[in-house]
Amino acid sequence: MEIAEERRGAQVQSRPLGRPSPSESIIIIDFGSQYSMLIARAVRECHVYCELAPPHRPWEDIASLYPRGFILSGGPASVYEEGAPTLPDYVLASGLPVLGICYGMQLLAHTLGGEVALAERREYGHAVIEVDDPSSPIWAGLPRSFPVWMSHSDQVVGLPPGFRVLAHSDNSPVAAMADDSRIFGLQFHPEVAHTPLGKEIIRNFLYRVCGCKGEWTPANFIAQAIEEIRAQVGKGRVLCALSGGVDSAVTAALVHRAVGDQLTCVFVNNGLLRREEPERVIQTFQRHLGISLVYVEASDLFLERLRGVIDPEEKRRIIGETFIHVFEGESRRLGDFQFIAQGTTYPDVIESAGGVGPSAKIKTHHNVGGLPKNIAFRLVEPLRYLFKDEVRRVGLELGLPEELVYRHPFPGPGLAVRIVGEVTREKLEILRACDWIVMDEIKKAGLYRQLWQSFAVLTDTKSVGVMGDCRTYGYVVAVRAVTAQDAMTADWARLPYDVLATISSRIVNEVPGVNRVVYDITSKPPGTIEWE
């Protein structure tokens, strides 16, 4: 298979709409590691475009991205077990550089004639590696010894022909390996924060081994996206669903820069928004974007369709379908529209699809899985392959104000997925009041920009309390605050006790129907950021 020749003609290959057209990329073959998304983030932070791909993704699809190399992720399988994921033929046949991480390294060894076996001592957590071959480009600028993060029960016990040991640790005789030219393996995880010099290792692979130029920048993305939007839309008209969040704002700004007055933005008040949100959205977008904004009041319609619905996936489906039906109605009223623009991002796609490797679907995202199959519009999703921090950088490059760009994410289904159980007007008013207090105190404490998200959840649990010497039986409200980089993983925020105390005191004193406040200290995984 002459893959190297095929790469030269890759520009004729078709690409999914919304995917960037980079001049170079790194393809991450995802074998189901919990850290795969972190690899992608690390590569993107080095200004090199990359995508996660399952092992079964065809070469024809990958060739159109002009790959400069491959990274093989970790994974839960053992290479010697029946049914374990195997290496796509084109990875080695392409002649491109390869970096295998954990399972990826073991798979390289196994495929190329080495030996992998169960380690006598499993290795999870901190370790220190000693560099055996400092001349390797992968170690350029690094010390001879440094800490790393291990997470494996198998290890390479026999090198493939032509390979040498690059580093070892106390428990891993082969902590890193390489051949004489282009194939490297790391037993540890350079993509995680617990490997402090990991990003430098990845950077060395990208620039010194793969020869990447680092052209993945917000300005270059905007230029490419504008071309693609124009090519996709032509002379058609586009509806853009504004929610008030950064994703839809950046989408609107980007599409407007591409097609101008062919874009009409529509803001639907679905009755599931936070306090004063409709007024804030209208004011912000009319002032900063200069785009004609159509306001649609649809609260009664959404609440009627959600009546009696408890299952969170059903809530998301109903809300997604209702949104589309509202937009179809507005389209007919405003004129003929062929496209709808959405602020779908890469983590939305990955979670809704269950990851690109052998992992499980977590939940349906509103922008991804809530659309009916017979949708009357074609989708314009210019942010579909961006992480949230990349979306924010694009927003700033487009001239959007910082207070909009750095807003905490808000779920597409709104407060419906922050109310456990049936959604009612009474519950919405209770939650809006609680959420307002949480946000108010977080901002007063100067913590807003330090957090990924902070909000209140109205649980379906009631508890006994005492107020004014009287027995109460009110709702339990959970406060949630997390730190994260991209929402694929998150840690609960260690909020100061005095901030938590003030939030709790204000909620139980100011919000009728609530007599208990709890703080959620669950990280992701095992939990998700939203409760539903």
Side-chain angles (χ1 to χ4, degrees):
M1 179 169 55
E2 296 296 331
I3 288 180
E5 288 297 323
E6 291 181 32
R7 288 184 69 239
R8 299 190 182 100
Q11 68 263 35
V12 304
Q13 301 289 342
S14 62
R15 291 178 294 103
L17 292 174
R19 177 189 287 174
S21 52
S23 58
E24 62 181 16
S25 72
I26 295 294
I27 304 302
I28 302 166
I29 306 298
D30 181 12
F31 293 105
S33 170
Q34 60 180 318
Y35 302 136
S36 294
M37 192 64 69
L38 298 182
I39 303 174
R41 281 189 53 83
V43 173
R44 297 274 188 96
E45 287 171 359
C46 293
H47 304 296
V48 176
Y49 183 74
C50 67
E51 284 189 20
L52 291 165
H56 54 76
R57 186 161 162 182
W59 167 252
E60 290 73 20
D61 185 26
I62 287 173
S64 65
L65 294 172
Y66 296 97
R68 288 291 188 95
F70 293 92
I71 297 179
L72 313 180
S73 84
S78 293
V79 296
Y80 47 78
E81 292 179 346
E82 185 178 353
T86 57
L87 190 66
D89 291 340
Y90 56 72
V91 170
L92 297 178
S94 69
L96 296 171
V98 183
L99 174 64
I101 297 174
C102 199
Y103 179 85
M105 168 174 150
Q106 296 161 14
L107 185 58
L108 284 171
H110 180 73
T111 303
L112 294 170
E115 184 179 355
V116 177
L118 183 67
E120 292 184 7
R121 293 179 59 186
R122 297 181 180 184
E123 197 170 18
Y124 297 101
H126 293 282
V128 175
I129 66 166
E130 303 290 337
V131 174
D132 296 299
D133 184 356
S135 67
S136 174
I138 209 79
W139 306 135
L142 300 180
R144 294 290 296 268
S145 176
F146 54 88
V148 299
W149 184 261
M150 296 281 192
S151 181
H152 66 98
S153 57
D154 292 332
Q155 64 182 22
V156 175
V157 295
L159 290 173
F163 277 72
R164 67 190 185 280
V165 176
L166 295 185
H168 69 275
S169 70
D170 288 344
N171 293 325
S172 294
V174 185
M177 68 179 193
D179 67 359
D180 291 331
S181 57
R182 62 184 177 87
I183 301 177
F184 299 81
L186 304 175
Q187 184 59 75
F188 59 91
H189 289 272
E191 69 274 24
V192 303
H194 300 299
T195 301
L197 298 177
K199 189 171 180 180
E200 283 73 13
I201 296 172
I202 291 175
R203 187 187 302 275
N204 283 338
F205 176 72
L206 299 177
Y207 286 90
R208 294 177 179 272
V209 179
C210 298
C212 292
K213 298 178 181 178
E215 298 176 341
W216 179 246
T217 65
N220 286 341
F221 168 79
I222 290 170
Q224 292 178 8
I226 287 173
E227 289 184 12
E228 293 218 349
I229 292 168
R230 288 173 177 167
Q232 180 185 0
V233 171
K235 296 183 179 181
R237 299 179 67 195
V238 187
L239 278 176
C240 181
L242 287 181
S243 67
V246 60
D247 298 338
S248 65
V250 174
T251 297
L254 194 53
V255 174
H256 185 253
R257 183 169 291 190
V259 299
D261 292 341
Q262 293 170 243
L263 170 70
T264 298
C265 289
V266 177
F267 174 69
V268 176
N269 184 357
N270 57 12
L272 307 171
L273 303 173
R274 291 171 288 196
R275 182 183 289 181
E276 298 183 3
E277 188 77 359
E279 297 83 359
R280 186 180 297 109
V281 169
I282 293 171
Q283 181 183 27
T284 299
F285 285 99
Q286 287 181 339
R287 182 198 310 155
H288 292 292
L289 294 181
I291 302 172
S292 178
L293 178 63
V294 176
Y295 174 83
V296 180
E297 174 54 60
S299 301
D300 291 343
L301 174 62
F302 279 84
L303 290 177
E304 176 61 30
R305 293 190 176 181
L306 288 169
R307 181 183 297 176
V309 178
I310 296 175
D311 180 72
E313 280 293 283
E314 184 68 5
K315 290 181 188 178
R316 291 173 181 272
R317 185 192 64 78
I318 290 172
I319 292 168
E321 286 191 353
T322 305
F323 258 113
I324 291 299
H325 293 155
V326 169
F327 279 122
E328 287 176 337
E330 285 303 305
S331 173
R332 289 189 293 269
R333 187 181 69 82
L334 296 170
D336 184 27
F337 288 85
Q338 297 79 39
F339 300 91
I340 181 170
Q342 286 197 145
T344 308
T345 61
Y346 204 24
D348 295 340
V349 175
I350 296 302
E351 279 203 343
S352 293
V356 293
S359 56
K361 170 180 170 180
I362 305 301
K363 60 184 176 183
T364 301
H365 278 266
H366 165 67
N367 279 348
V368 182
L371 304 179
K373 294 181 180 180
N374 60 343
I375 181 174
F377 303 100
R378 282 170 283 173
L379 292 177
V380 178
E381 298 177 302
L383 311 181
R384 186 177 179 87
Y385 290 88
L386 297 190
F387 291 103
K388 179 72 75 173
D389 58 332
E390 293 175 312
V391 173
R392 289 189 167 119
R393 288 197 292 270
V394 168
L396 293 174
E397 185 77 20
L398 288 167
L400 294 178
E402 284 195 12
E403 61 267 24
L404 175 60
V405 170
Y406 285 101
R407 288 196 71 188
H408 286 184
F410 187 65
L415 299 180
V417 292
R418 293 180 180 173
I419 294 175
V420 180
E422 183 182 7
V423 178
T424 66
R425 293 183 189 276
E426 177 193 17
K427 290 181 178 180
L428 284 166
E429 289 307 312
I430 291 173
L431 183 54
R432 285 191 185 101
C434 295
D435 189 75
W436 183 272
I437 291 170
V438 171
M439 199 61 61
D440 187 40
E441 292 301 326
I442 290 293
K443 290 180 177 179
K444 283 181 180 178
L447 299 171
Y448 187 80
R449 286 285 291 272
Q450 299 176 29
L451 302 174
W452 178 266
Q453 276 178 271
S454 55
F455 55 89
V457 175
L458 184 61
T459 75
D460 58 350
T461 300
K462 287 189 172 183
S463 70
V464 173
V466 178
M467 292 183 179
D469 296 326
C470 295
R471 178 186 185 275
T472 62
Y473 192 57
Y475 283 107
V476 176
V477 166
V479 175
R480 181 78 159 140
V482 298
T483 58
Q485 287 188 310
D486 52 34
M488 295 305 297
T489 61
D491 194 13
W492 63 276
R494 275 62 170 176
L495 295 182
Y497 289 158
D498 58 343
V499 174
L500 290 172
T502 302
I503 290 173
S504 176
S505 177
R506 285 191 59 187
I507 287 177
V508 296
N509 281 285
E510 298 177 24
V511 184
V514 178
N515 67 0
R516 192 178 299 269
V517 177
V518 298
Y519 187 52
D520 184 348
I521 60 170
T522 311
S523 296
K524 175 187 179 181
T528 57
I529 294 178
E530 300 289 344
W531 275 38
E532 291 195 338

